[in-house]
Amino acid sequence: MKEQSYFESIMEGLQQAVDFKNGDNSKCRVRMVTIPDVEPVSEYSKEQIKELRIKNNFTQKTFADVLGVSAKSVEAWEAGIRKPTGTANRLFQLIEREPSVINYVVKF
């Protein structure tokens, strides 16, 4: 079998793409991918953040350590001075739904 040049290989691929667009998928490999339905990230209010922290018996410092942020960040969130990022909100969502997830980072 003759080895194709880069140009020939690219042209063959382009022709297959055109054929596929026109309904001929006999020379194409088609792979269907299922994309999971991911729930949107919730936004947490200063009251909800404080409630989540207290419910889990954390000081602001310990809660900050669990989340991987500074104690000043938790303080600012609870005071309403700053809003948490999407990542922090996702962590709140996980902790709220499955509090045992904290056991992966906290040693009692």
Side-chain angles (χ1 to χ4, degrees):
M1 188 169 161
K2 180 185 162 211
E3 190 174 317
Q4 289 183 321
S5 70
Y6 288 122
F7 175 78
E8 290 169 331
S9 177
I10 291 169
M11 289 305 295
E12 181 180 340
L14 287 172
Q15 186 58 54
Q16 287 175 1
V18 170
D19 291 345
F20 181 78
K21 182 182 181 304
N22 293 329
D24 176 12
N25 61 1
S26 62
K27 297 177 187 171
C28 301
R29 283 182 284 162
V30 178
R31 187 171 137 197
M32 300 301 289
V33 178
T34 303
I35 299 172
D37 186 22
V38 178
E39 185 176 334
V41 177
S42 300
E43 288 191 14
Y44 284 75
S45 68
K46 62 183 184 178
E47 294 84 10
Q48 289 172 307
I49 296 167
K50 186 172 184 176
E51 181 182 323
L52 186 61
R53 176 179 63 80
I54 291 170
K55 181 179 176 183
N56 288 282
N57 299 314
F58 289 129
T59 62
Q60 286 182 337
K61 169 74 172 107
T62 306
F63 196 46
D65 289 343
V66 167
L67 297 171
V69 299
S70 71
K72 289 287 186 189
S73 291
V74 174
E75 185 181 324
W77 295 337
E78 290 184 4
I81 296 168
R82 290 189 6 223
K83 291 188 177 236
T85 64
T87 305
N89 281 313
R90 181 64 85 191
L91 288 172
F92 298 152
Q93 200 172 21
L94 291 170
I95 292 168
E96 183 176 51
R97 292 203 180 146
E98 191 57 53
S100 66
V101 75
I102 294 168
N103 295 335
Y104 290 101
V105 294
V106 176
K107 295 176 183 163
F108 291 99

